[in-house]
Amino acid sequence: MGITLNPSISLLLLAVLLAGAYFVFWRVRLDYTRFGKLSRPVAILQVAYFFLYALASYAFLDSRLSQVDTAGALFLPALILMGAGLLFVLFSMPFLGRRSFGQEVGSLRTSGLYHFSRNPQLVGGFLFIAGYSLLWLSWSGAVWAALWLLLSHLMVRGEEEHLERTFGEAYREYCARTPRYLGLPGRRKKSNTP
């Protein structure tokens, strides 16, 4: 099932994914600025982009299930990370409903997993991807997992601008007490540096 690409084609695919990310998240920011929400075409574009990222796993990982070493030391940690990631996503995304696709503006979600992370669905996505990458441990798998971090951060930056415009001081207070990705909630000191 998996495919093996030479390094130059892998780098080209990485460049295409990065260029695509900048384009998609530029469009997302533009929609949030113009309309205060995502238009249907841009919401579909964003979902399609993440689908393309998922398909790229076949290029970055030797993802043949018959090649997984179920007796290896990394198999159980991989399953644990993947299970934890799925739980994070299952317990965060559905509570947003249509808001999770930027189509509606509701109230600011600050309870449940959103008490510990402003983006638990992305943390869950990364845990799953990290676990999945452990099944076929390689440098290219590490690049594929690291790419998720960059893509998520690009998406989050545009969403944060939108949420601050929409919810103002309530959102700034939420940011002050809740980590963007992971950490312990609490009152964090505001830094005077930019």
Side-chain angles (χ1 to χ4, degrees), residues 19-99:
Y22 279 100
F23 173 74
V24 168
F25 299 123
W26 167 74
R27 284 303 320 248
V28 165
R29 282 177 129 155
L30 194 60
D31 267 19
Y32 278 143
T33 302
R34 285 183 179 169
F35 311 120
K37 64 179 186 174
L38 294 184
S39 64
R40 184 167 298 214
V42 172
I44 291 169
L45 179 66
Q46 184 172 338
V47 169
Y49 178 80
F50 278 105
F51 183 72
L52 177 66
Y53 167 82
L55 286 177
S57 71
Y58 286 98
F60 288 98
L61 301 169
D62 183 19
S63 49
R64 290 181 291 252
L65 292 178
S66 63
Q67 300 294 321
V68 173
D69 181 9
T70 58
L74 294 177
F75 185 68
L76 184 59
L79 291 182
I80 291 170
L81 283 172
M82 291 169 66
L86 284 175
L87 288 175
F88 265 70
V89 172
L90 286 173
F91 287 107
S92 60
M93 291 294 284
F95 296 104
L96 294 177
R98 286 175 43 92
R99 288 177 43 211

Side-chain angles (χ1 to χ4, degrees), residues 2 115 124 133 154 168:
H115 176 72
S133 295
L154 289 172

Side-chain angles (χ1 to χ4, degrees), residues 114-161:
Y114 292 91
H115 176 72
F116 301 99
S117 170
R118 297 193 315 256
N119 297 283
Q121 69 283 10
L122 297 177
V123 171
F126 178 72
L127 290 175
F128 183 85
I129 287 166
Y132 188 69
S133 295
L134 283 179
L135 294 175
W136 301 277
L137 194 58
S138 67
W139 284 106
S140 58
V143 168
W144 183 69
L147 182 59
W148 174 262
L149 296 174
L150 177 62
L151 301 177
S152 297
H153 190 69
L154 289 172
M155 182 176 74
V156 164
R157 294 302 301 247
E159 289 176 348
E160 287 177 339
E161 292 170 2

